[in-house]
Amino acid sequence: MLRAESIINDGTALVLFAVTVAVATGAPAIGPAALVGRFVGSYLGGIAAGLLVGWLVTLLRRRIDAPLEEGALSVLTPFAAFLLAQTLHCSGVVAVLVSALVLTYVGPRVIRARSRLQSFAFWDIATFLINGSLWVFVGVQIPGAVRGIADVHGGLRGAVVLALAVTGVVIASRIAWVEGTTVLIRTLDRARCSAPAGSGGASAP
């Protein structure tokens, strides 16, 4: 559950980022209501596409008992979910996440043990290589980003100050959200637990 929550949080952030970049890079200016509508539509469309692809792949995997074919299908599944969502002008990232969650839930019932073992080994290596490649790409982009920042008003020092300010706001917002929701949940639990006792005490002679 914690992993699923983390993945959905990442997907939500990517959807918001995509909408923001689209507006900032020349898309027609939209108001808050239209922005929320675009976000909700993109998110819900991605969920629908992911559920559809996950359901179709589940039907296929019920009828396949070949580790190589199932491994190839597991590689093609995220691309199918992403392309379907993008065709519908929805979030491909959310579609991939939802289809993965569907297959994770139904996998033990429709995927044979030998196929799961082979898929786990493949995805462990693939995940390691992809994560390593992403860090390499980030490192390659750093020199160009630093040179580009140097030409902007404020220079590198201003960019560092701005980055620290944004980081502080994000961390503070996260702490406030976690602590606030925790207090709210505990308050609601106490109110729910004390309600029967209070009503019982009031009716007692």
Side-chain angles (χ1 to χ4, degrees):
M1 291 299 294
L2 292 176
R3 178 181 295 181
E5 180 186 0
S6 176
I7 292 174
I8 293 298
N9 288 341
D10 293 343
T12 303
L14 288 172
V15 171
L16 286 173
F17 179 75
V19 172
T20 304
V21 169
V23 174
T25 55
I30 57 176
L35 182 62
V36 172
R38 180 179 296 184
F39 167 73
V40 172
S42 177
Y43 206 93
L44 293 180
I47 292 175
L51 290 174
L52 177 60
V53 171
W55 176 68
L56 292 175
V57 172
T58 299
L59 294 180
L60 287 174
R61 301 199 75 160
R62 287 182 186 275
R63 293 164 172 78
I64 298 177
D65 186 13
L68 289 179
E69 285 79 357
E70 291 188 73
L73 186 59
S74 70
V75 174
L76 295 175
T77 299
F79 291 98
F82 187 89
L83 292 176
L84 176 60
Q86 289 294 103
T87 302
L88 300 175
H89 303 289
C90 300
S91 173
V93 174
V94 173
V96 172
L97 299 179
V98 171
S99 64
L101 291 175
V102 170
L103 293 174
T104 300
Y105 179 75
V106 303
R109 296 194 295 272
V110 301
I111 304 174
R112 280 74 178 176
R114 58 176 183 168
S115 298
R116 290 204 303 271
L117 290 174
Q118 184 168 331
S119 296
F120 289 160
F122 167 78
W123 283 112
D124 284 342
I125 296 175
T127 302
F128 175 78
L129 293 176
I130 291 172
N131 286 334
S133 300
L134 290 176
W135 285 109
V136 171
F137 290 147
V138 170
V140 170
Q141 295 296 321
I142 288 177
V146 171
R147 287 193 297 269
I149 291 173
D151 298 332
V152 180
H153 177 70
L156 184 59
R157 178 179 298 179
V160 170
V161 172
L162 182 60
L164 291 176
V166 171
T167 302
V169 170
V170 171
I171 293 175
S173 301
R174 178 64 175 173
I175 293 174
W177 171 259
V178 172
E179 295 298 328
T181 52
T182 301
V183 171
L184 178 60
I185 291 173
R186 289 177 178 174
T187 302
L188 293 175
D189 285 341
R190 291 194 191 100
R192 184 181 60 182
C193 293
S194 62
S199 60
S203 60

